[in-house]
Amino acid sequence: MGGMKKLINEPGDVVSEALRGMAAAHPDRLRVDHENRIVYRKDAPTPGKVGLISGGGSGHEPMHGGFVGLGMLDAACAGEVFTSPVPDQMMAATKEVDAGAGVLHIVKNYTGDVMNFEMAAELAAADAGTEVLSVVTNDDVAVQDSLYTAGRRGVGVTVLLEKIVGAAAEEGRSLQEVADLAKKVNDNGRSMGMALTSCTVPAAGKPTFELAENEMEVGIGIHGEPGRQRLPLAPAKDVAAMLVDPVVSDLPYQQGDSVIAFVNGMGGTPLIELYLMYNEVAQLLDRAGITIARNLVGNYITSLEMAGCSVTLLKVDDELVRLWDAPVNTPGLRWGA
């Protein structure tokens, strides 16, 4: 293995310089608090609207900063690469987006994220009297406990949840209603991922794990955590089954269910392969009698430049589909607006 090849300056400056680039690219939609590393919706706070905040380590772009804007998040806190943001960031964001209707924290189930968001909620309540509820996403069926978590990891459902709950908040629903909806989405979503290559964290300068040319890792997390099993490389149709079968049997999804099917790239897999994978996933679901109501294909919750993909299924009813279809205008997701 040679040295690290990335389009960066200093490894320690990657996050702050990327946030400067985001601010420069999207001044119509976003404003960035560079000191606290928070991406805000340009017009936040919106009077009477529940504020929605998420956040986490950087390196998963467009999640979360790319999902700030109309119909999704009001703010996103950026940690260092694969490292949780700190409570001060989250508290500042919570106070800033509180427009009197309260704030919902959308938290992926990683120990640091959960702990720091909890602390931020307590601080914001004590400091400004802000009412905060939180929902923790834990949709990854691959492993029960991992390096970073107690219980299951939060992965692809987070993206779908931010969109659906964002639409509900936009309609003026109450904090409790928005939180209940978030819980419903999390409870009805499951995910599983795989990797063909590791990724390299800029500060580390070397791959997180080694995979031989003829190997793949099934059940990986989004921080380069190892998965369920290391297996010989297989054709896409076999890989699709390895991802879909555990997901379908976990909820379980049944014949007659409608789902949003989300085939997500890990950052280093080209779209031609993601569409090929979507074709395999769609055929598997068709054979299982599961209807795809809506779909999403692309890089939305990534792991730097890791090659690989994940499959997320979200069981939906008419209301969830309507909220999914509602207008959204963010750097990472945009339709109807």
Side-chain angles (χ1 to χ4, degrees):
M1 289 292 293
M4 171 174 71
K5 290 168 93 171
K6 290 183 181 290
L7 293 170
I8 63 173
N9 296 310
E10 293 302 317
D13 297 337
V14 170
V15 175
S16 52
E17 291 180 357
L19 287 171
R20 293 198 178 281
M22 272 195 89
H26 304 289
D28 55 324
R29 281 176 274 191
L30 307 178
R31 60 188 163 88
V32 179
D33 169 354
H34 290 289
E35 191 186 344
N36 288 306
R37 293 186 173 179
I38 303 167
V39 179
Y40 287 111
R41 184 169 154 173
K42 193 176 183 185
D43 56 359
T46 310
K49 185 181 98 64
V50 169
L52 296 185
I53 295 181
S54 195
S58 296
H60 305 305
E61 291 74 20
M63 194 181 76
H64 290 277
F67 298 138
V68 173
L70 173 80
M72 274 186 98
L73 299 175
D74 294 283
C77 306
E80 280 298 329
V81 173
F82 295 175
T83 306
S84 171
V86 296
D88 287 357
Q89 286 173 279
M90 295 157 168
M91 181 181 76
T94 303
K95 285 160 63 175
E96 178 71 21
V97 304
D98 180 18
V103 176
L104 181 72
H105 286 174
I106 298 168
V107 189
K108 300 187 303 306
N109 190 31
Y110 299 96
T111 309
D113 290 20
V114 171
M115 194 171 65
N116 290 352
F117 264 113
E118 265 174 25
M119 214 177 294
E122 286 166 18
L123 290 168
D127 196 59
T130 299
E131 190 188 354
V132 181
L133 292 178
S134 79
V135 62
V136 177
T137 58
N138 60 350
D139 51 299
D140 188 353
V141 305
V143 286
Q144 186 55 41
D145 295 301
S146 76
L147 206 53
Y148 292 83
T149 49
R152 291 178 162 187
R153 304 176 287 212
V155 285
V157 156
T158 316
V159 176
L160 308 184
L161 186 150
E162 288 175 358
K163 166 67 189 84
I164 289 168
V165 171
E170 211 70 61
E171 289 181 352
R173 295 196 201 183
S174 72
L175 179 58
Q176 189 62 58
E177 287 169 329
V178 169
D180 289 345
L181 177 69
K183 189 178 182 319
K184 173 181 168 176
V185 171
N186 182 61
D187 289 347
N188 284 285
R190 299 289 188 276
S191 301
M192 176 95 158
M194 60 79 63
L196 299 170
T197 66
S198 175
C199 58
T200 299
V201 174
K206 60 181 200 303
T208 308
F209 59 87
E210 292 292 341
L211 270 179
E213 283 295 304
N214 59 346
E215 287 181 323
M216 61 181 181
E217 187 94 28
V218 177
I220 44 100
I222 52 170
H223 304 98
E225 310 99 302
R228 270 189 177 184
Q229 49 193 167
R230 189 160 289 197
L231 296 168
L233 201 54
K237 63 175 184 294
D238 298 341
V239 175
M242 286 177 209
L243 300 181
V244 170
D245 293 347
V247 164
V248 167
S249 59
D250 195 274
L251 188 62
Y253 298 84
Q254 289 155 346
Q255 202 165 353
D257 282 350
S258 280
V259 298
I260 296 175
F262 173 24
V263 171
N264 171 66
M266 290 293 173
T269 290
L271 266 173
I272 188 172
E273 293 173 33
L274 295 179
Y275 279 118
L276 189 153
M277 280 297 290
Y278 180 78
N279 180 48
E280 297 296 345
V281 168
Q283 289 181 59
L284 287 166
L285 293 177
D286 185 49
R287 288 204 286 276
I290 296 167
T291 303
I292 299 177
R294 298 289 185 273
N295 68 76
L296 188 64
V297 181
N299 289 291
Y300 293 99
I301 168 171
T302 61
S303 187
L304 294 169
E305 82 287 15
M306 179 186 277
C309 70
S310 60
V311 171
T312 298
L313 298 182
L314 173 64
K315 187 173 158 179
V316 290
D317 52 24
D318 291 346
E319 184 210 17
L320 292 185
V321 171
R322 186 181 63 75
L323 291 168
W324 177 256
D325 288 344
V328 60
N329 187 357
T330 67
L333 207 61
R334 183 176 185 178
W335 57 73

